[in-house]
Amino acid sequence: MTELNPLTVAMQMDPMEDIKIAGDSTFHIMLAAQARGHRLYHYLAPDLTFRDGRVLAKARPVNVQKVEGDHFAFGPEEVLDLGRDVDVVWMRQDPPFDLSYITATHLLERVQEETLVVNDPASVRNAPEKLFVLDYARFMPPTMITRDLGEVKSFLAEHGEIVVKPLYGNGGVAVFHLGKNGANLSSLVELFKASWVEPFMVQAFIPGVAQGDKRIVLIDGEVAGAVNRIPGAGEIRSNLAVGGSAAKTLLTDKEREICAAMAPELKARGLLFVGIDVIGGEWLTEINVTSPTGIVSIDAFDGTDTGGLIWDAIDARLAARAAA
């Protein structure tokens, strides 16, 4: 690892008091930063202000420790110029990926010439999880994006069982499995159309999800590790946030092929921390770039230091910018 001076790091994320430190990837990254002597600040996306050509954030210095219930301590609030006062900005607030989220990417994009923003805000904006993945459709299960009930009925007739989910959902929320008889399909489509203005995603059901949905983490295009997320009883959703359980795993040859195929594009887009989801060792379903998770479980199972690898990659990015 190249030794660099301690960094000033601003974390745009969710409220610190809401963090579940046992499995939170952002907290894991903050612990790794602090261990390297970096100075951390915390702010929320609504704390951003654009004024006189500068992007400002009302932020508080924060110290973190791995103690449940006593995991952070704030200092007095400061106003940071994110271009001049900070070396690295992390965009790590959870979706929804809505106009508020998109606006934050536009604001952070304006500091990119002065400060490294992770992940690259323009690339985050242009690579929503369930749309960017379409660039790799050859690895995906049969997939449809639509608002048309007739199309969904035809897709169900072709594939027998399907999964319907919001295009900009997260955490396994509102994911539905429909069987061959299509019971309540019309009502479900009505619900989706009433709840969201955008189309929704429909995919052929992959029975292999019962054995797990693998989260593979890539750092600057390189595989850092993986964890298998196994659905709970009576569930098809394997997200840890909705009751899935984590298990140690290895990558299949197909999964390595998928990772190798997308690695150059991830690097080129400045998507430094990415989590992809693969079912049955071969079916790519999502590319998570907004606020990917999984590194705490990976490090626990594999004895790795993914937080350290992330900061090594950031150091390399900063060194390359300084040399340019």
Side-chain angles (χ1 to χ4, degrees):
M1 179 182 69
T2 303
E3 291 295 332
L4 298 178
N5 292 328
L7 303 174
T8 300
V9 180
M11 307 295 298
Q12 178 177 304
M13 55 184 286
D14 298 320
M16 287 299 301
E17 55 268 25
D18 295 343
I19 298 300
K20 298 179 175 60
I21 68 171
D24 190 89
S25 291
T26 306
F27 190 77
H28 203 58
I29 290 167
M30 294 172 77
L31 287 171
Q34 191 171 269
R36 293 180 176 219
H38 301 332
R39 188 179 189 197
L40 296 171
Y41 283 84
H42 172 277
Y43 71 93
L44 307 176
D47 295 325
L48 288 171
T49 295
F50 177 84
R51 180 177 178 179
D52 299 328
R54 307 303 301 176
V55 179
L56 312 175
K58 288 184 178 178
R60 289 178 287 182
V62 61
N63 290 313
V64 292
Q65 60 180 357
K66 201 171 183 179
V67 178
E68 191 72 51
D70 186 25
H71 58 281
F72 72 97
F74 280 137
E77 182 178 88
E78 303 176 30
V79 177
L80 298 178
D81 182 316
L82 294 183
R84 294 173 178 160
D85 300 334
V86 175
D87 300 299
V88 180
V89 173
W90 272 93
M91 188 175 186
R92 284 289 301 179
Q93 83 268 21
D94 285 342
F97 188 87
D98 55 12
L99 284 174
S100 175
Y101 203 103
I102 290 170
T103 300
T105 69
H106 281 291
L107 292 177
L108 290 182
E109 191 177 3
R110 293 179 178 273
V111 307
Q112 277 283 68
E113 293 299 315
E114 300 170 281
T115 300
L116 178 64
V117 182
V118 183
N119 285 324
D120 180 282
S123 293
V124 168
R125 185 172 66 245
N126 294 330
E129 342 282 37
K130 297 180 181 69
L131 290 174
F132 181 29
V133 70
L134 301 179
D135 289 355
Y136 304 94
R138 65 191 184 277
F139 299 122
M140 296 178 69
T143 296
M144 169 185 288
I145 294 175
T146 189
R147 285 175 66 84
D148 188 282
L149 175 59
E151 291 289 347
V152 181
K153 286 181 175 179
S154 173
F155 193 83
L156 176 61
E158 179 181 355
H159 296 289
E161 293 182 77
I162 60 173
V163 172
V164 183
K165 51 190 173 181
L167 197 58
Y168 297 109
N170 68 295
V173 174
V175 176
F176 292 88
H177 172 215
L178 280 84
K180 296 178 181 179
N181 64 8
N184 293 319
L185 174 58
S186 296
S187 295
L188 181 61
V189 170
E190 289 171 6
L191 175 63
F192 269 66
K193 291 171 74 171
S195 301
W196 294 283
V197 297
E198 63 271 4
F200 45 89
M201 176 173 272
V202 187
Q203 291 183 315
F205 176 67
I206 305 299
V209 72
Q211 281 72 54
D213 178 358
K214 195 175 297 185
R215 164 59 54 87
I216 304 171
V217 168
L218 297 100
I219 299 174
D220 216 11
E222 300 294 325
V223 174
V227 60
N228 196 29
R229 301 169 302 174
I230 302 170
E235 272 281 3
I236 65 160
R237 301 177 300 172
S238 56
N239 308 71
L240 302 184
V242 294
S245 59
K248 183 177 175 63
T249 190
L250 298 173
L251 267 59
T252 66
D253 289 343
K254 188 67 174 183
E255 288 165 342
R256 293 190 180 279
E257 179 187 350
I258 292 168
C259 293
M262 65 179 62
E265 187 66 16
L266 298 181
K267 286 180 67 73
R269 290 186 182 222
L271 294 170
L272 188 142
F273 178 20
V274 172
I276 70 169
D277 297 337
V278 181
I279 294 173
E282 59 177 325
W283 297 107
L284 176 67
T285 59
E286 293 187 16
I287 303 173
N288 297 272
V289 305
T290 50
S291 187
T293 61
I295 63 175
V296 177
S297 294
I298 289 170
D299 286 352
F301 286 124
D302 297 345
T304 48
D305 179 15
T306 307
L309 292 176
I310 288 171
W311 285 105
D312 286 347
I314 287 173
D315 287 346
R317 286 268 174 173
L318 290 172
R321 286 164 67 104

